[in-house]
Amino acid sequence: MIRSLFLTLCAAMCIHWAHAEDGSRLWLPTESNGQPAQINLKHSSPTLDIAADELRQFWHGQPVDLILKRDKSLKADGFSIRHTDKGLTLSSPHETGLLYAAYHLLRMQAAGETVNDTVVNPTYSLRILNHWDNPDGTIERGYAGKSLWQWAELPGKLSPRYQAYARANASIGINGTVLNNVNASPSILSDEYLQKVKALADVFRPYGIRVYLSVNFASPMVLDSLPTADPLDKNVIRWWKQKAKEIYRLIPDFGGFLVKANSEGQPGPCDYGRTHAEGANMLADALKPYDGIVMWRAFVYSPTDADRAKQAYQEFKPLDGEFRQNVIVQVKNGPIDFQPREPYSPLFGSMEHTPLMAEFQVTQEYLGHANHLAYLAPMWKEFFSLVPPSSIEAVAGVANIGSAANWCGHPFAQANWYAFGRLAWSPELSSGQIADEWLKQTFHMDNAEVKQMMLDSREAVVDYMMPLGLHHIFAWGHHYGPEPWCEIPGARPDWLPTYYHKADRQGLGFDRTSTGSDAVSQYPEALAKQYADLKACPEEYLLYFHHVPWTHRLKSGRTLWEELCYRYDRGVQQVRNFQKVWDKAEKQVDPERFLSVQSLLMTQARDAVWWKDACLLYFQEFSGMPIPYDIERPIHELKDLKKVQLPISNYECPTKEMLNERR
Amino acid sequence: MIRSLFLTLCAAMCIHWAHAEDGSRLWLPTESNGQPAQINLKHSSPTLDIAADELRQFWHGQPVDLILKRDKSLKADGFSIRHTDKGLTLSSPHETGLLYAAYHLLRMQAAGETVNDTVVNPTYSLRILNHWDNPDGTIERGYAGKSLWQWAELPGKLSPRYQAYARANASIGINGTVLNNVNASPSILSDEYLQKVKALADVFRPYGIRVYLSVNFASPMVLDSLPTADPLDKNVIRWWKQKAKEIYRLIPDFGGFLVKANSEGQPGPCDYGRTHAEGANMLADALKPYDGIVMWRAFVYSPTDADRAKQAYQEFKPLDGEFRQNVIVQVKNGPIDFQPREPYSPLFGSMEHTPLMAEFQVTQEYLGHANHLAYLAPMWKEFFSLVPPSSIEAVAGVANIGSAANWCGHPFAQANWYAFGRLAWSPELSSGQIADEWLKQTFHMDNAEVKQMMLDSREAVVDYMMPLGLHHIFAWGHHYGPEPWCEIPGARPDWLPTYYHKADRQGLGFDRTSTGSDAVSQYPEALAKQYADLKACPEEYLLYFHHVPWTHRLKSGRTLWEELCYRYDRGVQQVRNFQKVWDKAEKQVDPERFLSVQSLLMTQARDAVWWKDACLLYFQEFSGMPIPYDIERPIHELKDLKKVQLPISNYECPTKEMLNERR
């Protein structure tokens, strides 16, 4: 049944794609070559059938043999490809490996590359998406429509999107998905919802994808009225064991739990005087009989400490070695919160006895929502240049996927989903290689300037939003647009921009050296020394680690103030350049996606000017210096920009009309 | 009394000026030097007393003698300045000449120039403002608040602004003012209003300014229920004679009438089968006994002819020689209507037996209202380069003056009032000289870049609004912003932009050569030949005279389409450059006016982009060509720009907030 569903799906998509490109096919092949390729398969199974059908539909090359075989050089999901006199042989110890091999072939074909003999192993065995979807269909920090999961219709009705989703993920090697928000509703663990979860798991399974769930630590109290959620409480322990049994009866290959506890108001073990380890271990023990895991988030910070950047390390480092083997501590890439640039979190490399995994944010909460083109592979490669891939256990990506026809909101946002999967499999791939693959498969485009635009885009966002190590100066709540002046009476100081930029008459930036919060000391000695040295600190982290005088001279010879102005304006000019690059590519793109990206780049160009004007005019009140006169002047007045209030929630991206009306 | 009023006025203004610069002092001196200069005056009169007081208050130089004396080298308003061993002697046959001489001295002083012996005569004896003020206080195409004339308070209460207005005009040699809108309300001729007009005339008189009124041709019917306004009707003739008598009894030096008739719905002689000449002459005869004049406007066009540009000539040329001696035909500088650039009106130089006067528009109806910096002296000098000053009788300026504290809305708009006065007196002055004078007196500034900004500003507006001879493609009604696509069912074709730009798949522009409307033939032969020749026609008039193929190569080597794009973008870059120039001048300007101009330049920069994007995207629908890729891309979409509707009347300038919300 899956096979026929699959063929129907492909046929439907082919017909659809021939007529329009609304972005729904992602990077996946469309043209059936008419003549099914010769694919030989000794066994049949849902996964193997999918692999064979993909190749029959879309492979234009030599005959292919799919072979299940043990191989010492291959990990579970790994595969080998070998040329024989009859054609190609794809080989793997597991079915999913053959599925990945099939997608590998199709990827090479679309990229126009020669298929060489090769042995391919993923770096990580766990390559997982985190969906911050709520039961009501909203997606926290989601800008591509509503949640894919139609809870009201499940389990009876299965949207065709579930399979398309699974296919897309399998094609880039993603093998796990957490279905729900880390600000978790306990209801996800109710029997009613577990039936729905099972239905999804059943669709995903043949694609090699296991489901996981975010769990609310207080679930026993909410679902079954237990008087406590103390992880050492016998009844609580029993409750979770029972719940695990219930889950695995429905979903034998359920992956495990993702937990946000004692963070931003979420319940957790610390409510009962227990440690994170005690909380995690209780859950881990419940899942252990079923080979399930617990991914316990280290995103914790409380308003009582002086430097939020230090707190995850301060809370978790002492717990090193205390976690069960099936617990992975999940740590955001940086110590603050997914900023356009942050240093890496010093927890990485400091917990020698605890498996850590990195949490990347694919959805662009701080990089322009679904309006700005920002290719994030360079950000994740930057992380890997400081945190060796082999030093962590896995990577998770907070998804940018929703019910929008094009899945991700911005056509280029798809590239980040794609890049996350490719880097989760092969973190040694370069950003350029991945961009190349994606452009060829998604747009059938081989355009050096468009590729360069992608590679430059993250840095452009840094430039026009938060250059030189600035961070967390965006608008309250929805996080779209600049608000470095934000003042909200009674708000947590560490939620306000002024806490982070600390602008005053002397200068700008957060002193994290020994004269300040000394957060640098959490880094390895050599790095700490470099970061702490005003002259040696990489300029991209300058205002992250130092409070720098406005008149301080940087490498360029410009003062801090001048360099700030120059960077913001450079970001604006970069986006205008992207507009030129994209317009030049018009003939290479279908009209629908061309116009969509063109329109979004206009919004991005206007937003870049908005960010630049807001930040420079506000910081100028402290620097007291003129914006260098060779720089394009602001076209907004600060008092007007301060009035901008976008009428959006944390689950929405502002529309062009909203933005037009406001700045 | 006038003298004490005057001193009080000056004192009040001095105190005011010491504290803030809100633009209210215009270009006039503020610092009383404490020690009154030694000014010798043999006679006393209101005018002479003003002249002497101005010098006593503000002159810092040698003692001055004011002498009334006939002089063959001096016209009525002319004056001479001679150095003697005792000081300076100012001499004129008339009191007003001495008043102008006094202002001349003060102008030289403020400009830091040496006063040489000189003989100064005005080119025109009539140097007149036209106010388009309505009785209800609104000003048609007025963007600086309400009408200065407080009709409800007159004649009993005299606003101090009346005297300040008179002083400002006298300082630049303006000696006449038409108080009311050419779309005239008959009520201005009622006894009630004539009393108010008299009160104003009394204030203006000592400053050498005579009042004039716009009259509605149907006044006899409206005010006294005559059944007709036929200029040949005995009762009508008698009515006007009686009205003249009434006026001159109140205002012995009343100047005369300004008439808009049979134009845009205004009543006139043609309603009765009479000619313009017959209508004008009837009024002229009524005013003749009192030495009054009639200024009869040639701004006529009807929707039945194929080319509006031809109609004034077609209607008036045949009437050459038929007007009374005390009629002057008042002709707008160009054949269309005060566009950022138009050729001169071919009526100039073609009516050998009729005195003509030029009507310039000082208020910026088509050049950005009170939001855009556009120094118009270059426009008027351009006119004089084609129409020798000596070939016309007088010049009128449609005023940009209102109740706003700074009189004109935009601080730099004052320069156009000033320049109009200076050119009405001395059309041989250069735009640069006038800008120099004005900057020194108004801002105490000697800044070459700011001066150059002024000199470049008109051309920048042409570039970003209507380059290469485009005209009349602005928004319906209020005329602010671009609307080249404007379509209004049932509207007069010659009120719609498409009539003027005639964009189609082949090209752009209005064919006014022999293959089109042949409007060129109304020009002198050599000029007509040049304009008619696609290659010889000055490019600034190209699309005014020709329908030009998009692919036609211009002098630059670019195609028409490319050049259009280049010009629009050049205008945008120019305004951005103005912003830099002005910001650099910050230390040379008081904060209040600095910030005001800075803010307005931001609006202008945004408007320039709006104009560019709207026009290029719209015309691109016809050219089918890409905007050259070295040009900054649009940041608006045409469909969004088409939705822009500014909620303003013809009497208002859009506020920054309105504009922010809409584009």
Side-chain angles (χ1 to χ4, degrees):
Chain A
M1 186 190 78
I2 297 226
R3 181 175 184 165
S4 56
L5 251 176
F6 172 75
L7 286 170
T8 312
L9 178 68
C10 289
M13 286 170 101
C14 284
I15 294 164
H16 175 73
W17 295 325
H19 291 162
E21 281 273 29
D22 61 0
S24 57
R25 71 167 183 84
L26 296 165
W27 48 84
L28 292 157
T30 59
E31 294 148 21
S32 173
N33 58 354
Q35 185 79 358
Q38 191 192 333
I39 311 300
N40 305 315
L41 189 56
K42 284 205 175 61
H43 312 278
S44 182
S45 77
T47 301
L48 290 172
D49 290 348
I50 291 171
D53 283 335
E54 291 277 13
L55 291 172
R56 278 192 196 104
Q57 281 266 344
F58 304 114
W59 174 245
H60 303 158
Q62 302 172 306
V64 176
D65 281 349
L66 295 166
I67 298 189
L68 273 175
K69 198 175 86 175
R70 281 188 172 289
D71 187 326
K72 272 184 300 188
S73 69
L74 294 176
K75 289 186 185 175
D77 291 340
F79 56 87
S80 69
I81 299 180
R82 244 174 278 287
H83 287 77
T84 67
D85 45 10
K86 287 185 294 173
L88 291 170
T89 299
L90 312 186
S91 185
S92 174
H94 286 109
E95 298 175 348
T96 37
L98 288 175
L99 182 59
Y100 297 140
Y103 287 125
H104 174 99
L105 274 194
L106 295 176
R107 182 184 318 122
M108 300 292 276
Q109 175 178 260
E113 296 191 40
T114 323
V115 180
N116 297 317
D117 283 7
T118 185
V119 169
V120 183
N121 280 308
T123 295
Y124 304 113
S125 53
L126 176 60
R127 306 174 296 278
I128 185 165
L129 288 180
N130 291 176
H131 290 269
W132 287 358
D133 297 24
N134 297 314
D136 67 359
T138 56
I139 305 178
E140 189 163 336
R141 312 307 176 184
Y143 312 113
K146 297 284 189 210
S147 175
L148 287 175
W149 325 133
Q150 303 288 328
W151 298 115
E153 296 179 349
L154 287 159
K157 185 169 165 196
L158 298 172
S159 161
R161 284 217 129 186
Y162 303 154
Q163 187 168 359
Y165 165 87
R167 178 177 184 239
N169 278 311
S171 76
I172 52 177
I174 285 170
N175 64 359
T177 178
V178 184
L179 297 177
N180 61 321
N181 199 351
V182 291
N183 294 318
S185 166
S187 59
I188 200 69
L189 292 179
S190 66
D191 176 65
E192 180 197 354
Y193 270 83
L194 288 175
Q195 296 287 349
K196 302 171 191 286
V197 171
K198 168 191 165 45
L200 289 169
D202 289 346
V203 174
F204 299 161
R205 187 170 298 107
Y207 286 91
I209 299 165
R210 297 170 76 181
V211 301
Y212 300 70
L213 292 174
S214 295
V215 296
N216 184 301
F217 205 77
S219 295
M221 299 172 73
V222 176
L223 292 179
D224 283 305
S225 306
L226 268 66
T228 179
D230 180 347
L232 266 51
D233 179 281
K234 282 194 163 57
N235 292 319
V236 170
I237 293 170
R238 185 183 311 123
W239 188 91
W240 283 104
K241 282 195 196 303
Q242 184 58 35
K243 185 53 69 180
K245 186 170 173 183
E246 195 184 324
I247 293 171
Y248 281 94
R249 188 179 297 141
L250 290 169
I251 310 166
D253 59 350
F254 179 73
F257 297 147
L258 173 60
V259 186
K260 172 178 178 178
N262 294 116
S263 168
E264 296 183 333
Q266 293 299 311
C270 308
D271 301 340
Y272 310 97
R274 312 296 180 197
T275 68
H276 287 284
E278 288 172 318
N281 292 346
M282 179 276 292
L283 293 176
D285 289 343
L287 299 181
K288 183 80 174 149
Y290 314 96
D291 290 325
I293 65 169
V294 171
M295 297 167 290
W296 190 271
R297 288 172 97 234
F299 180 56
V300 295
Y301 61 104
S302 78
T304 56
D305 290 38
D307 185 0
R308 172 177 168 177
K310 298 171 69 178
Q311 295 166 29
Y313 182 100
Q314 285 174 330
E315 276 197 52
F316 277 79
K317 173 101 169 102
L319 302 172
D320 190 24
E322 294 185 21
F323 293 91
R324 296 284 190 264
Q325 272 190 336
N326 60 330
V327 174
I328 317 180
V329 172
Q330 180 166 313
V331 185
K332 292 188 179 186
N333 59 290
I336 301 297
D337 186 14
F338 296 139
Q339 297 303 284
R341 172 168 285 117
E342 295 180 47
Y344 75 92
S345 168
L347 260 176
F348 292 110
S350 75
M351 289 183 77
E352 296 172 33
H353 308 290
T354 308
L356 299 185
M357 60 188 286
E359 181 179 322
F360 295 149
Q361 191 177 44
V362 186
T363 188
Q364 292 165 228
E365 178 179 355
Y366 299 108
L367 285 105
H369 291 202
N371 284 343
H372 294 194
L373 192 161
Y375 175 53
L376 302 178
M379 178 194 283
W380 304 327
K381 291 294 294 180
E382 191 171 295
F383 172 84
F384 283 132
S385 73
L386 295 160
V387 177
S390 59
S391 70
I392 56 176
E393 195 74 15
V395 284
V398 180
N400 64 350
I401 303 160
S403 61
N406 72 3
W407 299 87
C408 301
H410 194 301
F412 275 78
Q414 297 179 353
N416 292 328
W417 176 7
Y418 181 87
F420 171 74
R422 300 292 286 123
L423 285 173
W425 185 282
S426 306
E428 75 282 0
L429 286 172
S430 74
S431 301
Q433 277 173 286
I434 297 171
D436 241 350
E437 289 178 9
W438 181 80
L439 280 170
K440 283 175 180 159
Q441 295 173 82
T442 307
F443 285 108
H444 308 306
M445 180 193 286
D446 188 356
N447 183 317
E449 285 198 319
V450 172
K451 174 180 167 183
Q452 193 59 46
M453 169 178 76
M454 291 176 70
L455 294 175
D456 292 341
S457 58
R458 178 280 187 111
E459 205 64 39
V461 173
V462 169
D463 273 354
Y464 65 73
M465 285 195 187
M466 296 175 241
L468 296 170
L470 283 170
H471 51 291
H472 207 292
I473 60 173
F474 41 76
W476 179 270
H478 53 71
H479 301 166
Y480 193 96
E483 208 172 29
W485 52 77
C486 182
E487 296 233 11
I488 297 188
R492 284 177 63 155
D494 56 356
W495 280 2
L496 291 174
T498 45
Y499 174 102
Y500 296 94
H501 63 66
K502 300 205 189 301
D504 60 26
R505 295 292 308 170
Q506 281 67 52
L508 184 68
F510 199 124
D511 183 355
R512 291 189 163 104
T513 72
S514 57
T515 50
S517 75
D518 206 21
V520 284
S521 63
Q522 293 182 341
Y523 290 91
E525 197 183 328
L527 215 47
K529 193 163 172 227
Q530 184 190 11
Y531 291 158
D533 182 344
L534 183 58
K535 288 200 166 356
C537 182
E539 284 184 351
E540 58 207 24
Y541 297 138
L542 194 65
L543 306 175
Y544 183 91
F545 285 115
H546 296 271
H547 188 71
V548 182
W550 296 112
T551 50
H552 173 74
R553 294 252 164 227
L554 302 187
K555 292 191 187 69
S556 62
R558 284 185 280 259
T559 62
L560 169 67
W561 166 248
E562 291 166 345
E563 189 69 27
L564 199 69
C565 296
Y566 173 77
R567 296 289 178 104
Y568 273 105
D569 187 69
R570 186 173 77 177
V572 168
Q573 303 310 327
Q574 269 284 62
V575 179
R576 288 191 184 146
N577 191 52
F578 296 165
Q579 287 186 278
K580 287 180 178 172
V581 166
W582 187 248
D583 278 3
K584 280 196 273 190
E586 183 170 6
K587 291 189 163 43
Q588 302 181 277
V589 186
D590 53 282
E592 193 175 344
R593 286 185 298 174
F594 173 77
L595 291 172
S596 168
V597 174
Q598 186 188 52
S599 174
L600 290 163
L601 284 171
M602 289 182 190
T603 293
Q604 189 170 5
R606 296 173 67 140
D607 282 354
V609 170
W610 172 27
W611 267 95
K612 167 191 163 191
D613 286 359
C615 295
L616 290 186
L617 291 172
Y618 172 71
F619 289 135
Q620 188 177 43
E621 297 197 316
F622 299 93
S623 76
M625 296 169 175
I627 295 167
Y629 296 111
D630 55 344
I631 287 175
E632 196 175 302
R633 319 318 284 163
I635 55 163
H636 301 96
E637 286 176 88
L638 184 59
K639 61 180 180 341
D640 294 324
L641 294 179
K642 284 184 172 184
K643 292 182 201 156
V644 173
Q645 295 285 335
L646 293 172
I648 53 174
S649 71
N650 298 354
Y651 310 144
E652 304 165 76
C653 178
T655 61
K656 184 181 58 173
E657 287 67 33
M658 271 182 215
L659 294 170
N660 284 353
E661 284 178 21
R662 283 168 172 72
R663 91 281 174 271
Chain B
M1 188 193 68
I2 296 228
R3 182 176 184 165
S4 55
L5 253 176
F6 172 77
L7 286 169
T8 312
L9 177 69
C10 288
M13 287 169 99
C14 286
I15 293 163
H16 174 74
W17 296 324
H19 292 161
E21 281 275 28
D22 61 0
S24 57
R25 74 168 180 83
L26 296 165
W27 48 85
L28 293 156
T30 59
E31 294 149 21
S32 171
N33 58 353
Q35 186 79 358
Q38 192 191 332
I39 310 299
N40 303 316
L41 191 54
K42 284 204 173 59
H43 311 279
S44 183
S45 79
T47 301
L48 290 172
D49 291 347
I50 292 171
D53 284 335
E54 291 277 12
L55 290 173
R56 281 192 194 105
Q57 281 263 344
F58 304 114
W59 174 245
H60 304 158
Q62 303 171 304
V64 176
D65 281 348
L66 295 165
I67 296 190
L68 272 176
K69 200 175 82 174
R70 281 190 174 287
D71 186 330
K72 275 185 301 188
S73 68
L74 294 177
K75 289 186 184 176
D77 290 340
F79 56 87
S80 69
I81 300 180
R82 245 173 278 284
H83 286 77
T84 67
D85 44 11
K86 287 185 297 171
L88 289 170
T89 298
L90 311 186
S91 187
S92 174
H94 285 111
E95 297 174 350
T96 35
L98 288 175
L99 182 60
Y100 296 141
Y103 288 124
H104 174 98
L105 274 194
L106 296 176
R107 181 184 318 121
M108 300 292 275
Q109 176 178 260
E113 295 191 39
T114 323
V115 179
N116 296 319
D117 282 9
T118 185
V119 169
V120 183
N121 280 309
T123 295
Y124 303 114
S125 54
L126 177 60
R127 308 174 295 278
I128 185 166
L129 288 180
N130 291 176
H131 290 270
W132 287 359
D133 296 25
N134 296 314
D136 67 359
T138 57
I139 305 177
E140 189 162 336
R141 312 307 176 183
Y143 312 114
K146 295 284 188 209
S147 174
L148 286 175
W149 325 132
Q150 304 288 327
W151 297 115
E153 297 178 351
L154 288 159
K157 185 168 166 199
L158 298 173
S159 161
R161 283 216 129 188
Y162 303 154
Q163 186 168 0
Y165 165 87
R167 178 177 184 238
N169 279 312
S171 76
I172 53 177
I174 284 169
N175 65 357
T177 178
V178 184
L179 297 177
N180 61 321
N181 199 350
V182 291
N183 293 318
S185 166
S187 59
I188 200 70
L189 292 179
S190 67
D191 176 64
E192 179 196 356
Y193 269 83
L194 289 175
Q195 296 287 348
K196 302 171 192 285
V197 172
K198 167 189 165 48
L200 290 169
D202 290 345
V203 175
F204 298 162
R205 187 169 298 108
Y207 286 90
I209 299 165
R210 298 171 75 179
V211 301
Y212 299 70
L213 293 174
S214 295
V215 297
N216 185 302
F217 204 77
S219 295
M221 298 171 74
V222 178
L223 291 180
D224 283 306
S225 305
L226 266 68
T228 179
D230 180 348
L232 266 51
D233 179 280
K234 283 192 162 56
N235 293 318
V236 170
I237 294 170
R238 184 183 312 125
W239 189 92
W240 284 104
K241 282 197 196 304
Q242 184 58 36
K243 185 55 67 180
K245 186 170 173 181
E246 196 184 324
I247 294 171
Y248 281 94
R249 186 177 298 141
L250 290 169
I251 310 166
D253 58 349
F254 178 75
F257 296 147
L258 172 61
V259 186
K260 171 179 178 178
N262 294 115
S263 168
E264 297 184 331
Q266 292 300 310
C270 307
D271 300 341
Y272 308 98
R274 310 297 180 195
T275 66
H276 288 284
E278 287 172 319
N281 292 344
M282 181 274 292
L283 294 176
D285 289 344
L287 299 180
K288 182 80 175 150
Y290 313 95
D291 290 325
I293 64 170
V294 171
M295 296 166 290
W296 189 270
R297 287 172 98 237
F299 179 57
V300 294
Y301 60 104
S302 79
T304 55
D305 290 28
D307 185 0
R308 170 177 170 179
K310 298 172 69 178
Q311 294 166 30
Y313 183 101
Q314 286 174 331
E315 276 198 51
F316 278 78
K317 172 102 169 103
L319 302 173
D320 191 24
E322 294 186 22
F323 293 90
R324 297 283 191 264
Q325 272 191 335
N326 60 329
V327 174
I328 315 179
V329 173
Q330 181 166 314
V331 185
K332 291 190 179 188
N333 58 290
I336 301 295
D337 186 15
F338 297 138
Q339 297 303 285
R341 172 168 285 117
E342 295 180 47
Y344 74 93
S345 168
L347 261 176
F348 293 109
S350 75
M351 288 183 77
E352 296 173 33
H353 308 291
T354 308
L356 300 185
M357 61 188 285
E359 180 179 323
F360 295 148
Q361 193 177 43
V362 186
T363 188
Q364 290 165 230
E365 179 178 354
Y366 299 108
L367 284 105
H369 291 202
N371 285 343
H372 294 195
L373 193 160
Y375 176 53
L376 300 178
M379 177 193 283
W380 304 326
K381 291 294 294 183
E382 190 172 295
F383 172 83
F384 284 132
S385 73
L386 294 159
V387 177
S390 58
S391 69
I392 57 176
E393 196 73 14
V395 283
V398 180
N400 64 350
I401 303 160
S403 60
N406 72 4
W407 299 89
C408 302
H410 194 301
F412 275 77
Q414 298 179 353
N416 291 329
W417 177 8
Y418 181 87
F420 171 74
R422 299 293 285 126
L423 285 173
W425 184 283
S426 306
E428 76 282 0
L429 286 171
S430 74
S431 299
Q433 276 173 287
I434 297 171
D436 241 350
E437 290 179 8
W438 181 79
L439 281 171
K440 282 175 181 158
Q441 294 173 84
T442 307
F443 285 108
H444 309 305
M445 181 192 284
D446 189 358
N447 183 316
E449 285 198 319
V450 172
K451 174 180 167 184
Q452 193 59 47
M453 169 177 77
M454 292 177 71
L455 294 175
D456 292 341
S457 57
R458 179 279 187 113
E459 204 65 38
V461 174
V462 170
D463 273 354
Y464 64 74
M465 284 194 187
M466 298 175 240
L468 296 170
L470 283 170
H471 52 293
H472 206 293
I473 61 173
F474 41 77
W476 179 269
H478 52 72
H479 300 166
Y480 193 97
E483 207 172 29
W485 52 77
C486 181
E487 297 233 10
I488 298 190
R492 285 177 62 155
D494 56 356
W495 280 3
L496 292 173
T498 44
Y499 175 101
Y500 296 94
H501 63 67
K502 300 208 188 298
D504 59 26
R505 294 292 309 170
Q506 282 67 52
L508 185 68
F510 199 125
D511 183 354
R512 290 190 164 104
T513 72
S514 57
T515 51
S517 74
D518 206 22
V520 285
S521 63
Q522 294 181 342
Y523 290 90
E525 200 184 326
L527 216 45
K529 194 164 172 227
Q530 185 191 11
Y531 291 158
D533 181 344
L534 183 58
K535 288 197 165 359
C537 181
E539 284 184 350
E540 59 207 24
Y541 296 138
L542 195 65
L543 305 176
Y544 183 90
F545 286 116
H546 297 270
H547 187 72
V548 181
W550 297 113
T551 50
H552 173 73
R553 294 253 163 227
L554 302 186
K555 292 190 187 74
S556 63
R558 284 185 281 260
T559 62
L560 169 66
W561 167 248
E562 292 166 344
E563 188 69 27
L564 199 71
C565 295
Y566 174 76
R567 296 288 177 105
Y568 272 105
D569 187 68
R570 187 172 75 178
V572 167
Q573 302 311 328
Q574 268 285 60
V575 179
R576 289 192 184 145
N577 190 53
F578 296 165
Q579 287 186 279
K580 287 179 178 173
V581 167
W582 187 248
D583 278 4
K584 281 196 273 190
E586 183 170 6
K587 290 189 163 43
Q588 301 181 277
V589 185
D590 53 284
E592 193 175 344
R593 287 185 296 173
F594 173 77
L595 291 173
S596 169
V597 173
Q598 186 189 53
S599 174
L600 289 162
L601 285 171
M602 289 183 189
T603 293
Q604 189 170 5
R606 295 173 69 140
D607 282 354
V609 171
W610 172 27
W611 267 96
K612 167 193 163 192
D613 287 0
C615 295
L616 290 186
L617 291 172
Y618 173 71
F619 290 135
Q620 188 179 43
E621 298 198 315
F622 299 93
S623 77
M625 297 168 173
I627 295 168
Y629 295 110
D630 55 343
I631 286 175
E632 194 175 304
R633 318 319 285 163
I635 55 162
H636 301 95
E637 287 177 88
L638 184 58
K639 63 179 181 334
D640 294 325
L641 294 178
K642 284 184 171 182
K643 292 182 201 153
V644 172
Q645 294 285 333
L646 293 172
I648 54 173
S649 71
N650 298 355
Y651 311 143
E652 303 165 76
C653 177
T655 61
K656 184 181 59 174
E657 287 68 33
M658 270 182 216
L659 294 170
N660 284 351
E661 282 179 22
R662 283 170 170 70
R663 89 282 176 272

